[in-house]
């Protein structure tokens, strides 16, 4: 809401700098976003009177003018405009002046003749024909205002108003008006509010002989009031009205349209004017639209209506969409002679739903949807008719049609002064509280408070306390220490996620966050098979776009997308992780399962399969998941078939890790080897051991035996390690470490050499060589059963 300070002065006297005004209003609850003074970009531009116009000696299309600027000797200006005549008053930008847009004017010479400035058109002053209808667009502005040479052009043309922009919250629709903000201003500065009671003289006649109104849906139309104006004279509005509309951000059009806009801004009550000759049978019917009906609005676009929409109709067709916009034949034409002024109150939710479905958000709908006061309809209608008479725009027919279905007023609230003082931590007297409430138009009788109808936000005594607090001054309320104790603790799931996150961070990865909704095309980019169950996703009914139209069933494309963005931004390396949900659909009307997954992605900076496996292993150890198995994975189309593995425990998959398939990397535009691991957080939580067992530091030395073995190339390393561990008593076998894998000329084709370091230690004694050798014999015997022999 833009508030003209000149307009505000009609209702309340504010004698303070604009910055001080803005700060005070913000502190009292009416937040000021900013303020702007018209013409602030204009400097050193004055009114000048043309004394003479002579032909330029060296140019056919230029003339040399002598201009009186009220500062002694006249100045000389050369112009190409053809509408300048002696005696005319014109805007003169003098030497070293500034125009809107930062344009600088300096003296110079045109075809050898000195020119000490420039005469301005309306566009060069930042104005339009709507602001000054008597001006022309292709020439110098000839001023018809009451002014004299030397006057500042801003004062002469009314370009000196200050507009304050307020942020109006949805619970305060009354402040979407000059009167509403004037009331807030008066209460804030403890200044009297000067309200005007509209007076309409009338011209006789009876409105009921010209018009009838019927409301068929009183639940959506709380009140409908109308008056008729005949012998309408269409023309420009007076300058004072055009100035105020312009300062409020509204374009002046003509006197009748400007009156409806002026009243909407002043009273906060949207209005509409109908040309009576287009109202069939002189009947106005407020009803729901019928199936198949449509309307062409004032903007010239046809809109299909649905049955829940409220429309203003004549006896045959819709003439306007209630609270949103009028139809093409409901506006004011040049040949309009009789006008119906409508002032109504419509259900806010209905107006918002209709405006959204039609894609029409207007100043009118923005006010109605917040909930207006039906009691404001008649005063606003009277004000509009008063302005009609004041501007000589027509004759107001006597009488008013008022179909009133206003709801019963709210029950009064008790003024509990002790409770309010305790609640706010202040000590105001009852008289002070009543004075504050009355300044806001509340009525207090016998300690019972009746809120005005326009205060739709007042529901309980806490709302009364808020009104008192903001006018009294939040800065005056003493601060106090909060009493109470906050008791909160992390859930088991939160503790587990934080522990896993700490492990991955410690491994050198950076956390990322991605959207849970993705494009269906992402499944194609990761080579997901057409019949894969992962393609069955939850579809979003109102997506922001195709790229965010489904909920992901796998986190892999999200991580690949982030890695691709880093790679394409020329980051040489990226080690990233995320704990994000996958959404697995269930029944038709059921919410999906949300499965949290840890996904780790990396490329560059020595990233390889074994580095990723080491991080995965550290996560499993940190989660206290023991005795897990690992197996190669060749069926997953997202990963390289020979460089992918699955980790599982008791038949339940815990993780999949490996190198991304080259075709997938190509679809993401990544030209380097990339590795990803996906770990099921719920499965890891379920698989973790109950608690970690404490093991004291060993007192006795360890015995180490290195074994170089030969086996088939296809035999997984994990099978060898499992056989070693199974062959020796766990109380003696401390660790098994792989330290070499070799394939070459010295090894038979189809075979490989693997070397392990086997660490043996007893907790109660030093192992003898015989015990160590016996353990090694058991290991070799167990390995022979799976085709592994000692390398000779």
């Amino acid at each position: 809401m833009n508030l003209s300070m000149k307009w505000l002065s009609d209702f309340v006297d504010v004698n303070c700098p604009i910055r001080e005004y803005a700060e005070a209003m913000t502190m009292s609850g009416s937040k000021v976003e900013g303020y702007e003074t018209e013409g602030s970009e204009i400097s050193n531009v004055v009114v000048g009177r043309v004394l003479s116009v002579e032909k330029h000696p060296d140019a056919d299309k230029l003339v040399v003018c002598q201009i009186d600027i009220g500062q002694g000797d006249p100045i000389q200006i050369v112009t190409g405009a053809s509408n300048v005549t002696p005696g005319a008053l014109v805007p003169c930008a003098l030497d070293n002046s500034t125009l809107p847009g930062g344009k600088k004017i300096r003296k110079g010479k045109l075809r050898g003749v000195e020119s000490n400035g420039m005469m301005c058109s309306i566009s060069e002053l930042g104005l339009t024909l709507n602001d000054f209808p008597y001006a022309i667009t292709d020439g110098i502005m000839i001023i018809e205002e009451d002014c004299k040479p030397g006057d500042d052009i801003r004062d002469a043309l009314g370009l000196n108003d200050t507009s304050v922009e307020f942020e109006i919250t949805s619970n305060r629709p009354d402040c979407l008006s000059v009167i509403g903000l004037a009331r807030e201003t008066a209460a804030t500065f403890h200044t009297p509010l000067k309200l005007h009671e509209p007076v309409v003289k009338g011209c006789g006649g009876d409105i009921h002989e010209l018009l009838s109104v019927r409301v068929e849906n009183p639940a959506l139309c709380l009140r409908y009031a109308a008056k008729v104006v005949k012998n309408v004279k269409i023309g420009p509005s007076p300058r004072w009205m055009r100035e105020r509309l312009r300062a409020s951000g509204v374009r002046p059009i003509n006197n009748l349209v400007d009156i409806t806009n002026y009243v909407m801004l002043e009273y906060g009550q949207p209005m509409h004017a109908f040309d009576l000759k287009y109202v069939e049978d002189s009947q106005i019917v407020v009803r729901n639209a019928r199936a198949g009906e449509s309307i062409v609005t004032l903007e010239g676009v046809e809109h299909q209506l649905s049955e829940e929409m409220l429309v203003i109709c004549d006896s045959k067709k819709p003439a306007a969409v209630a609270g949103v916009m009028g139809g093409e034949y409901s506006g004011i034409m040049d040949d309009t002679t009789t006008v119906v002024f409508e002032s109504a109150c419509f259900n806010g939710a209905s107006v918002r739903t209709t405006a959204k479905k039609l894609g029409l958000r207007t100043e009118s709908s923005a006010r109605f949807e917040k909930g207006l006061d039906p009691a404001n309809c008649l005063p606003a209608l009277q004000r509009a008719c008063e302005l009609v008479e004041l501007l000589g725009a027509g004759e107001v027919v006597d009488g008013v049609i008022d179909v009133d279905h206003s709801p019963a007023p709210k029950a009064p609230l008790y003024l509990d002064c002790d409770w309010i003082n305790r609640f706010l931590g202040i000590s105001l007297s009852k008289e002070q509280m009543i004075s504050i409430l009355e300044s806001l138009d509340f009525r207090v009788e016998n300690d019972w408070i009746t809120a005005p109808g326009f205060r739709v936000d007042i529901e309980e005594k806490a709302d009364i306390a808020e009104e008192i607090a903001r006018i009294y001054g939040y800065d005056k309320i003493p601060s106090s220490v909060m009493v109470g104790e906050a008791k909160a603790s992390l859930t088991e799931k939160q503790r587990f996620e934080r522990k896993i996150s700490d492990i991955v961070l410690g491994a050198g990865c950076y956390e990322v966050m991605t959207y849970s909704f993705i494009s269906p095309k992402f499944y194609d980019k990761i080579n997901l098979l057409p019949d894969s169950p992962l393609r069955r996703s939850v579809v979003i009914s109102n997506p922001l776009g195709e790229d965010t139209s489904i909920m992901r069933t796998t986190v892999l494309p999200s991580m690949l997308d982030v890695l691709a963005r880093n790679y394409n931004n020329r980051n040489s390396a990226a080690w990233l992780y995320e704990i994000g949900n996958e959404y697995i659909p269930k029944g038709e009307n059921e919410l999906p399962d949300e499965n949290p997954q840890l996904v780790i992605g990396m490329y560059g900076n020595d990233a390889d399969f074994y580095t990723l496996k080491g991080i995965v292993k550290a996560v499993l150890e940190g989660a206290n998941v023991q005795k897990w198995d690992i197996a190669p994975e060749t069926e997953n189309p997202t990963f390289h078939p020979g460089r992918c593995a699955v980790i599982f425990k008791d038949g339940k998959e815990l993780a999949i890790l490996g190198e991304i398939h080259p075709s997938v990397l190509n679809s993401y535009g990544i030209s380097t080897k990339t590795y990803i691991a996906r770990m099921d957080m719920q499965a890891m939580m379920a698989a973790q051991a109950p608690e970690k067992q404490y093991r004291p530091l060993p007192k006795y030395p360890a015995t180490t035996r290195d074994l170089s073995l030969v086996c088939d190339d296809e035999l997984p390393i994990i099978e060898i390690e499992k056989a070693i561990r199974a062959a020796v008593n766990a109380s003696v076998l401390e660790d098994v470490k792989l330290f070499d894998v070799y394939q070459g000329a010295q090894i038979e084709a189809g075979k490989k050499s693997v070397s392990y370091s086997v660490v043996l230690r007893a907790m109660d004694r030093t192992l003898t060589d015989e015990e160590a050798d016996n353990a090694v014999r058991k290991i070799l015997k167990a390995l022979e059963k799976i085709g592994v022999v000692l390398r000779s």
Side-chain angles (χ1 to χ4, degrees):
M1 174 72 187
N2 292 332
L3 176 66
S4 160
M5 293 302 289
K6 285 186 178 180
W7 201 343
L8 177 68
S9 65
D10 286 355
F11 301 98
V12 62
D13 295 324
V14 180
N15 299 312
C16 67
I18 188 64
R19 182 181 181 86
E20 185 179 320
Y21 171 78
E23 291 175 350
M25 291 297 289
T26 298
M27 286 298 296
S28 67
S30 301
K31 183 182 177 184
V32 174
E33 289 290 326
Y35 52 85
E36 181 180 2
T37 300
E38 286 184 305
S40 58
E41 292 185 298
I42 299 174
S43 65
N44 206 21
V45 181
V46 300
V47 175
R49 186 184 301 278
V50 180
L51 300 177
S52 65
V53 180
E54 298 178 357
K55 185 178 178 181
H56 192 287
D58 197 25
D60 293 337
K61 295 184 178 181
L62 297 178
V63 293
V64 180
C65 303
Q66 300 298 320
I67 311 290
D68 175 15
I69 59 170
Q71 299 177 12
D73 296 336
I75 65 170
Q76 179 174 284
I77 295 179
V78 179
T79 181
S82 59
N83 67 319
V84 180
T85 59
L89 292 174
V90 295
C92 293
L94 306 180
D95 179 37
N96 199 30
S97 59
T98 307
L99 294 177
K103 183 178 180 181
K104 296 284 187 180
I105 304 298
R106 297 188 182 278
K107 66 181 180 179
K109 289 186 178 182
L110 291 178
R111 300 292 294 270
V113 177
E114 186 176 275
S115 181
N116 293 302
M118 182 183 78
M119 290 179 281
C120 303
S121 64
I122 56 170
S123 61
E124 288 166 333
L125 294 172
L127 300 169
T128 67
L129 289 180
N130 298 102
D131 301 308
F132 288 91
Y134 61 76
I136 61 175
T137 57
D138 56 352
I140 301 302
M141 180 181 185
I142 307 301
I143 302 174
E144 297 181 5
E145 310 304 310
D146 184 13
C147 57
K148 64 183 185 302
D151 287 350
D152 190 306
I153 198 67
R154 293 173 297 184
D155 297 330
L157 300 183
L159 284 171
N160 52 8
D161 197 355
T162 297
S163 177
V164 181
E165 181 185 357
F166 285 88
E167 178 189 328
I168 308 301
T169 53
S170 58
N171 66 321
R172 291 300 305 274
D174 58 298
C175 287
L176 286 170
S177 65
V178 176
I179 291 178
L181 291 173
R183 185 182 294 110
E184 291 293 312
T185 300
T188 300
F189 288 91
H190 310 292
T191 304
L193 178 66
K194 302 174 290 185
L195 293 179
H196 168 70
E197 186 72 29
V199 177
V200 181
K201 299 175 182 177
C203 67
D206 184 0
I207 187 176
H208 296 89
E209 296 177 357
L210 302 174
L211 182 70
S212 66
V213 175
R214 184 173 79 254
V215 175
E216 294 185 357
N217 191 340
L220 298 185
C221 180
L222 306 180
R223 192 167 192 174
Y224 193 98
K227 286 186 75 69
V228 172
V229 177
K230 65 180 184 179
N231 298 327
V232 168
K233 301 177 183 64
I234 306 297
S237 301
R239 178 180 140 179
W240 61 266
M241 179 175 282
R242 299 196 307 269
E243 283 181 8
R244 292 183 176 186
L245 291 175
R246 183 178 69 241
S248 302
V250 176
R251 178 171 58 93
I253 298 175
N254 60 50
N255 50 4
L256 286 187
V257 175
D258 291 352
I259 285 172
T260 61
N261 287 332
Y262 189 91
V263 173
M264 179 182 70
L265 293 170
E266 188 171 65
Y267 279 73
Q269 172 63 45
M271 300 189 68
H272 192 68
F274 295 93
D275 190 331
L276 186 60
K277 69 172 173 286
Y278 292 113
V279 180
E280 293 283 348
D281 300 327
S282 298
Q283 295 182 21
I284 290 180
V285 182
V286 186
R287 60 171 174 81
N288 287 77
R290 300 189 177 111
E293 279 189 322
S294 63
I295 186 173
V296 178
T297 53
L298 285 171
E299 59 182 4
V301 178
E302 183 175 4
H303 296 273
Q304 292 297 321
L305 303 173
S306 52
E307 295 181 45
E308 75 277 5
M309 297 179 181
L310 192 71
V311 289
I312 313 298
C313 307
D314 55 26
S315 61
K316 296 181 180 179
K317 64 184 183 305
V321 182
V324 181
M325 185 178 287
E328 64 176 336
Y329 294 114
S330 69
I332 305 301
M333 316 293 181
D334 291 338
D335 60 347
T336 297
T337 58
T338 306
V339 167
V340 177
F341 277 98
E342 164 204 286
S343 180
C345 185
F346 304 110
N347 177 274
S350 172
V351 171
R352 177 174 174 79
T353 301
T354 299
K356 188 173 182 180
K357 284 189 175 182
L358 296 180
L360 293 172
R361 183 171 176 82
T362 61
E363 287 282 346
S364 176
S365 67
R367 283 168 166 79
F368 275 122
E369 68 187 26
K370 292 176 174 62
L372 299 183
D373 180 15
N376 202 30
C377 292
L378 272 183
L381 185 61
Q382 291 290 99
R383 176 59 168 160
C385 292
E386 180 186 48
L387 289 171
V388 167
E389 293 182 339
L390 179 65
L391 272 56
E395 300 173 359
V396 181
V397 177
D398 286 352
V400 60
I401 295 177
D402 184 15
V403 182
D404 190 1
H405 298 287
S406 302
K410 294 179 182 178
L413 299 170
Y414 180 67
L415 177 59
D416 190 341
C417 299
D418 292 337
W419 181 89
I420 291 174
N421 279 327
R422 289 197 308 273
F423 183 67
L424 298 178
I426 58 178
S427 56
L428 289 183
S429 66
K430 179 192 292 187
E431 290 72 21
Q432 288 174 301
M433 293 184 184
I434 292 175
S435 175
I436 289 174
L437 293 172
E438 288 180 343
S439 70
L440 295 169
D441 241 11
F442 288 74
R443 192 172 71 252
V444 184
E445 294 180 353
N446 299 323
D447 294 342
W448 287 94
I449 307 166
T450 302
F454 55 79
R455 290 305 303 271
V456 296
D457 57 320
I458 303 299
E459 298 286 347
E460 54 188 42
K461 60 181 181 181
D463 298 322
I464 299 297
E466 180 184 6
E467 297 301 297
I468 292 171
R470 67 186 185 87
I471 300 302
Y472 171 69
Y474 291 121
D475 55 325
K476 298 178 183 177
I477 298 176
S479 59
S480 58
V481 179
M482 292 183 63
V483 179
E485 182 180 355
K487 294 183 178 180
S489 61
L490 297 176
T491 65
E492 182 182 356
K493 176 184 175 184
Q494 289 172 328
R495 287 196 298 270
F496 184 77
E497 287 186 354
R498 291 195 181 190
K499 177 169 64 177
I500 298 301
S501 183
D502 288 343
I503 294 170
V504 187
L505 280 170
C509 297
Y510 290 89
E511 186 175 13
V512 298
M513 297 182 68
T514 60
Y515 288 117
S516 298
F517 23 84
I518 61 173
S519 167
K521 296 178 181 177
F522 276 26
Y523 295 147
D524 297 327
K525 296 179 73 172
I526 63 170
N527 289 349
L528 210 59
L529 298 176
D531 58 348
S532 172
L534 293 178
R535 285 185 178 268
R536 181 173 168 262
S537 307
V538 176
V539 180
I540 300 173
S541 59
N542 57 339
L544 297 175
E546 191 273 343
D547 288 345
T548 55
S549 59
I550 62 172
M551 305 298 290
R552 66 188 178 195
T553 56
T554 171
V555 294
L556 297 183
S558 299
M559 176 56 72
L560 281 165
D561 192 50
V562 178
L563 290 170
R565 191 175 305 117
N566 277 271
Y567 180 80
N568 293 323
N569 285 338
R570 300 185 179 182
N571 289 329
S572 60
W575 287 31
L576 311 174
Y577 83 96
E578 178 186 17
I579 298 178
N581 285 344
E582 294 177 344
Y583 300 84
I584 309 303
K586 297 168 66 177
E588 184 176 346
N589 295 319
E590 294 183 83
L591 292 173
D593 285 331
E594 299 184 23
N595 299 332
Q597 305 289 327
L598 168 66
V599 56
I600 306 169
M602 58 173 58
Y603 71 82
N605 196 18
D606 299 326
D608 57 24
F609 179 87
Y610 298 105
T611 301
L612 181 62
K613 181 186 173 185
I615 298 176
V616 171
K617 184 178 179 182
V619 169
L620 292 172
E621 290 176 352
N624 201 23
V625 178
Q626 303 171 2
K627 297 181 181 180
W628 45 268
D629 293 318
I630 186 167
E633 170 60 55
T634 59
E635 302 297 326
N636 193 308
T638 305
F639 292 91
H640 194 296
R643 302 167 189 173
C644 179
V646 174
I647 294 176
F648 54 91
K649 178 179 172 63
D650 300 330
K652 175 71 173 179
E653 181 179 315
L654 300 180
I656 184 171
L657 67 152
E659 182 182 327
I660 298 300
H661 199 286
S663 64
V664 175
L665 294 178
N666 185 61
S667 69
Y668 280 93
I670 302 176
S671 302
T672 188
K673 290 184 178 181
T674 301
Y675 303 87
I676 283 184
R678 169 186 164 275
M679 306 183 73
D680 192 319
M681 297 289 287
Q682 289 181 336
M684 286 194 293
M685 278 191 69
Q688 63 182 336
E691 60 182 13
K692 288 188 176 182
Q693 297 294 325
Y694 168 73
R695 295 184 63 183
L697 292 174
K699 297 180 180 179
Y700 301 95
T703 299
T704 302
R705 294 288 189 270
D706 291 343
L707 302 176
S708 291
L709 310 168
V710 177
C711 64
D712 290 337
D713 187 34
E714 299 298 325
L715 184 66
I717 298 295
I718 189 67
E719 295 298 328
I720 301 175
E721 184 174 332
K722 288 166 65 176
I724 294 174
R725 292 185 180 278
V728 183
N729 192 312
S731 62
V732 174
L733 182 63
E734 183 175 275
D735 198 7
V736 179
K737 295 180 181 179
L738 175 71
F739 65 85
D740 184 55
V741 178
Y742 172 75
Q743 287 176 293
Q746 300 179 21
I747 302 297
E748 182 183 348
K751 300 287 185 176
K752 62 183 175 182
S753 171
V754 291
S755 298
Y756 284 94
S757 178
V758 179
V759 181
L760 304 169
R761 189 198 308 263
M763 300 299 293
D764 57 349
R765 68 189 187 283
T766 300
L767 288 177
T768 65
D769 289 342
E770 183 179 351
E771 288 176 312
D773 293 341
N774 186 46
V776 170
R777 284 193 291 271
K778 290 181 179 179
I779 290 171
L780 294 177
K781 187 175 181 180
L783 290 175
E784 286 179 2
K785 295 179 181 179
I786 60 173
V788 181
V789 297
L790 195 65
R791 179 179 173 184
S792 59

